[in-house]
Amino acid sequence: MSVSIGVDIGGTKIAAGLVDDEGCIIQRVRRDTPARSFDGVVEAIASACTDLVDYARTEGLDLVEAVGMGAAGLVDETGSIVRFAPNLGWTEAPLGPRVSAASGLPTTVENDATAAAWGEYRFGAGKGATSLVAVTVGTGIGGGIINSGEPLRGSFGMAAEFGHITQVPDGRLCGCERRGCWEQYGSGNALVREARDLAAERRSEAELLLAMGDGTPVGVTGVHVTEAARKGDPVALEAFRRVGHALGRGIADLTAILDPDRYVIGGGVSEAGQILLEPLVEAYEGAVVARAHRPAAQLVLAQLSNDAGLIGAADLARRFVL
């Protein structure tokens, strides 16, 4: 049985796992992410790898073949350097070489959304697709493209930064310093913003939603919006409708460019399930070009949840490092 290590580097935690060639996580470890310390992250990943290699040896498993890492940022075409990761405070960070030197294992680095897309393509909701586009809806919007069985990274390794497609010209200011980016309207942050604004305008209808926080619109969080929507709160449902429509319109634009046969919708916001997917599909169907004359892409929810990036990174390491 072939085994490799997958690492998902988040802003607060580093999740690592020993993954077999069928996408099953055999063992997990977790480390806190050292705040804005690249050296600290390298040490934490190397420590996690050591624990997993020791576990594999103790259990009589095959030798660990490689380490795949997913990071939220721009990764170069060689799969070794993180050019820019604003949430981690990195620029030109040689993550692959440093972790390889510290762990003694070959490594590869992927954008975290590309790793998640690959995980879903190989082992989750994307199995059987010819051309797959993953849209990861979390704090922002990430993406990954799998075309004819290969990740589409672009010439410089930085393709599929979907969240920064302009949806509203001269719209809301984005963290990238441009205006009107898609993630300002179709992300987890957008969901909370919409819910707070609606709750402030329609307090009498938002009684359930407001009661989940501190009674004020400012106290509303993403978890509150999802829970309230599941219980039928009209303001929470309207916030999901607006965000779902923004996502559907953006996916319709992607269809005009990429024409995949399947979209996989993942990320934390997708855990709301049909509450998000129904308005998304409605807007997509209404906005996609020449809908009456083209086959419909499937729009499905991700299956691997928070493990998609870890599993995908491990499988890509096995595929591309060796």
Side-chain angles (χ1 to χ4, degrees):
M1 178 176 61
S2 172
V3 293
S4 55
I5 293 173
V7 182
D8 187 7
I9 306 167
T12 59
K13 68 179 176 66
I14 296 167
L18 199 64
V19 182
D20 69 15
D21 52 12
E22 296 183 353
C24 296
I25 301 176
I26 301 167
Q27 177 71 347
R28 303 172 185 264
V29 296
R30 171 178 168 162
R31 299 287 189 273
D32 292 334
T33 304
R36 305 185 80 80
S37 169
F38 176 66
D39 289 343
V41 169
V42 170
E43 291 173 8
I45 294 172
S47 170
C49 289
T50 296
D51 286 354
L52 292 170
V53 169
D54 288 346
Y55 176 86
R57 186 180 298 115
T58 299
E59 296 297 313
L61 302 174
D62 291 344
L63 291 176
V64 175
E65 295 177 324
V67 179
M69 296 170 282
L74 301 178
V75 179
D76 79 330
E77 67 276 16
T78 70
S80 59
I81 297 172
V82 180
R83 296 291 188 196
F84 181 53
N87 292 336
L88 295 167
W90 297 352
T91 56
E92 302 300 324
L95 183 64
R98 287 287 303 278
V99 171
S100 184
S103 67
L105 292 167
T107 64
T108 188
V109 185
E110 287 287 348
N111 171 269
D112 58 346
T114 297
W118 184 258
E120 291 288 347
Y121 171 74
R122 288 273 287 135
F123 306 109
K127 288 180 69 173
T130 300
S131 176
L132 176 146
V133 175
V135 179
T136 305
V137 188
T139 302
I141 295 176
I145 304 167
I146 311 299
N147 186 45
S148 299
E150 297 291 340
L152 180 62
R153 299 180 177 87
S155 296
F156 306 107
M158 302 176 188
E161 289 291 331
F162 299 150
H164 301 289
I165 295 170
T166 299
Q167 185 167 87
V168 179
D170 300 319
R172 292 173 181 152
L173 181 65
C174 183
C176 73
E177 300 183 357
R178 298 168 68 245
R179 287 191 175 273
C181 291
W182 189 18
E183 68 178 39
Q184 292 303 308
Y185 302 90
S187 65
N189 280 347
L191 179 69
V192 172
R193 183 191 302 113
E194 293 285 4
R196 288 175 176 175
D197 289 348
L198 287 165
E201 296 170 5
R202 297 158 49 180
R203 293 186 71 96
S204 62
E205 297 178 68
E207 183 177 353
L208 176 60
L209 175 62
L210 291 170
M212 292 179 177
D214 61 6
T216 70
V218 175
V220 170
T221 68
V223 172
H224 298 151
V225 183
T226 300
E227 185 177 351
R230 287 175 175 153
K231 294 180 178 180
D233 182 274
V235 165
L237 287 169
E238 175 63 14
F240 266 106
R241 187 190 70 82
R242 293 184 180 186
V243 166
H245 280 187
L247 284 167
R249 291 192 300 270
I251 290 173
D253 290 341
L254 293 180
T255 295
I257 302 167
L258 299 170
D259 191 32
D261 60 328
R262 194 174 307 173
Y263 287 95
V264 175
I265 315 302
V269 179
S270 74
E271 294 177 7
Q274 293 301 315
I275 293 171
L276 176 69
L277 193 63
E278 287 180 7
L280 187 159
V281 171
E282 178 185 59
Y284 169 81
E285 292 283 354
V288 70
V289 63
R291 175 65 188 89
H293 305 285
R294 69 188 306 152
Q298 290 181 291
L299 288 89
V300 300
L301 296 167
Q303 293 179 356
L304 301 182
S305 189
N306 293 331
D307 289 333
L310 188 158
I311 292 170
D315 196 63
L316 284 168
R318 182 183 300 110
R319 178 181 173 89
F320 292 109
V321 169
L322 303 177

